[in-house]
Amino acid sequence: MKKIILIIVVAMLSLLTFLYRIEVLSFVKNLEAQSVGNIMMTIGTLIVLKGLFAVIGFPGTPLTLLSGSLLGNLLGTITALVGNTLGATLAFLLARYTLREYVQNMLLAKYPTLKIYEERLERKPLATVIALRLIPLFPFNVLNFLFGLTSVSLKQYIVGSFFGMIPGTFLFVYFGESLRMLSPVNVLFALIGIVLLTYVGKFYEKKF
């Protein structure tokens, strides 16, 4: 049943992209015009915004898509990945040293499933962080704060988050680039890739 729902969602998103291709193209063209000649400023702005969004709990996916549409796959992925890692690190530090009581009372109570992974984080911290980044078990921003309550070290957290976020970040950037190109086929490939990544992450999560 879940597979059928995923297929329907992918098909619907691809169809909407095709039907509203003129509006999407116009929006992206305006953004591209503003970023021409200011690549470094665009990169810096996206990184800072993604870092800020992660700290305040605002979804960063639109900015990841924007990174792809404005900067292309390679530069867009690097930019989004740096921004995601920066925001994740700041949220982690806030939870561990400043907002610990708030995170325990507000977030951990809503996501008690994290406690299941406490033993794994002690045994294999790096592998567990990578696995949880690969699979969308928790919302990205929430997971940033929840990790601050665990025993994982800052170094292991940063390294695990960085490498664990690479596949997902690339796929969303590729999605954004596909929207700019108005290629329904590429959009479909990107969405299928995101779905497959979920299953790959779940498989990997069971192996450690």
Side-chain angles (χ1 to χ4, degrees):
M1 184 61 180
K2 291 182 178 180
K3 293 182 179 179
I4 296 177
I5 294 175
L6 286 173
I7 292 173
I8 293 175
V9 170
V10 168
M12 290 181 63
L13 289 174
S14 300
L15 178 61
L16 288 173
T17 300
F18 176 75
L19 292 176
Y20 292 95
R21 59 190 182 280
I22 296 178
E23 289 80 0
V24 172
L25 179 61
S26 176
F27 176 72
V28 172
K29 287 293 184 183
N30 290 333
L31 291 174
E32 287 181 331
Q34 296 178 21
S35 64
V36 171
N38 296 290
I39 296 298
M40 295 308 297
M41 181 178 294
T42 301
I43 292 174
T45 300
L46 287 171
I47 290 175
V48 171
L49 286 177
K50 288 188 73 65
L52 178 62
F53 279 18
V55 171
I56 64 177
F58 195 83
T61 301
L63 290 176
T64 304
L65 297 175
L66 191 59
S67 297
S69 65
L70 295 180
L71 303 173
N73 291 326
L74 179 58
L75 192 55
T77 298
I78 295 173
T79 300
L81 193 58
V82 171
N84 286 339
T85 305
L86 172 63
T89 302
L90 292 175
F92 175 91
L93 292 173
L94 282 174
R96 176 158 291 186
Y97 299 110
T98 305
L99 303 177
R100 190 176 187 86
E101 184 176 348
Y102 170 81
V103 176
Q104 286 178 327
N105 295 335
M106 299 298 294
L107 296 182
L108 189 58
K110 294 182 180 180
Y111 298 92
T113 311
L114 184 67
K115 294 181 179 179
I116 299 175
Y117 295 89
E118 288 182 352
E119 182 182 349
R120 295 183 182 182
L121 281 167
E122 293 180 359
R123 290 189 295 108
K124 299 181 179 179
L126 187 59
T128 306
V129 173
I130 292 175
L132 291 176
R133 287 304 188 187
L134 281 174
I135 57 177
L137 183 63
F138 303 97
F140 174 77
N141 290 335
V142 171
L143 190 59
N144 294 335
F145 287 101
L146 291 179
F147 266 126
L149 303 182
T150 67
S151 60
V152 64
S153 69
L154 177 61
K155 180 181 178 180
Q156 292 169 329
Y157 171 75
I158 294 175
V159 173
S161 293
F162 181 85
F163 285 102
M165 290 188 294
I166 289 177
T169 300
F170 171 77
L171 286 172
F172 278 104
V173 168
Y174 179 72
F175 189 12
E177 169 70 0
S178 300
L179 291 175
R180 184 186 68 81
M181 296 171 61
L182 293 179
S183 172
V185 175
N186 288 355
V187 169
L188 182 60
F189 282 154
L191 292 173
I192 291 176
I194 293 170
V195 172
L196 290 177
L197 179 62
T198 301
Y199 286 97
V200 170
K202 288 182 177 180
F203 175 80
Y204 172 72
E205 186 267 344
K206 293 178 181 179
K207 290 299 180 180
F208 67 90

